Amino acid sequence: MSNVENKAIVLQFYQAFDHRNIDQALTLLAPNFIAHMTGVPEPLDRDGFKKFGMEFYLAFTNGQHTFEDLIIEGDKVVTYGTFTATHLGEFQGIPATDKQIKLSIMHIDRVKDGQIVEHWGQGDALGLMQQLGIIFLPSPALILHMVKSYLFKLLKTTTK
């Protein structure tokens, strides 16, 4: 298949997901499809990937992939950019927060015979948890204040 055809298949997959047309998206995955996802210890087969995708799909509405760039090399299509959505359903035990999220993403999809046969996916999971209010990361000013307080207490106890 040509680079143009491979690019069209991959973009059609993400567009179908964004338009909430899961059946159309699934037709673009080969029966022997395999996915390598960050944070998932084992590769996912087609059914496992569908299950993971459906959990995300049901928890986050108004999803939109915005790709900054596409790189096509042979049978591989690399996409990177952002994914935005609204958290309106439970996700991995986290109740809906009604918060808008924006994640950095990068994907590598391998296409063969008009279908995606392999996927590598990287998304900013830490950023997602921060945006949902699950993980708190202190600002640099707070870290500096904490270090100063600790040093002050340490000096105070050593001079007694």
Side-chain angles (χ1 to χ4, degrees):
M1 297 197 70
S2 73
N3 286 353
V4 171
E5 291 168 315
N6 289 344
K7 174 184 172 180
I9 290 165
V10 168
L11 290 178
Q12 188 178 11
F13 172 79
Y14 293 108
Q15 185 177 46
F17 187 85
D18 290 350
H19 290 154
R20 303 185 73 74
N21 189 343
I22 298 302
D23 290 336
Q24 180 188 2
L26 292 174
T27 65
L28 297 168
L29 301 181
N32 62 336
F33 172 84
I34 190 92
H36 311 273
M37 308 286 292
T38 301
V40 178
E42 297 292 323
L44 300 173
D45 62 10
R46 191 175 190 273
D47 289 336
F49 185 72
K50 176 184 175 183
K51 181 181 175 195
F52 179 86
M54 287 304 295
E55 287 176 15
F56 208 84
Y57 171 87
L58 294 172
F60 296 92
T61 60
N62 306 319
Q64 181 67 45
H65 288 85
T66 303
F67 296 122
E68 300 295 321
D69 202 1
L70 281 90
I71 302 168
I72 306 164
E73 181 66 37
D75 62 354
K76 292 186 180 82
V77 178
V78 179
T79 53
Y80 63 89
T82 57
F83 178 77
T84 56
T86 306
H87 182 219
L88 295 178
E90 183 179 313
F91 180 67
Q92 297 184 349
I94 302 166
T97 62
D98 299 329
K99 292 183 179 182
Q100 179 77 21
I101 59 143
K102 183 175 184 178
L103 306 175
S104 296
I105 55 168
M106 182 170 35
H107 307 250
I108 303 171
D109 293 290
R110 188 167 63 85
V111 180
K112 182 177 178 186
D113 298 327
Q115 291 185 304
I116 300 170
V117 294
E118 198 163 10
H119 169 85
W120 292 265
Q122 169 72 38
D124 182 11
L126 178 60
L128 174 61
M129 295 299 119
Q130 284 179 280
Q131 291 174 62
L132 296 179
I134 305 304
I135 295 176
F136 167 74
L137 291 179
S139 69
L142 181 56
I143 292 172
L144 182 59
H145 174 75
M146 292 167 53
V147 169
K148 285 180 181 178
S149 289
Y150 175 75
L151 290 174
F152 179 75
K153 287 178 184 177
L154 185 64
L155 287 173
K156 197 174 179 182
T157 58
T158 59
T159 58
K160 287 185 178 181

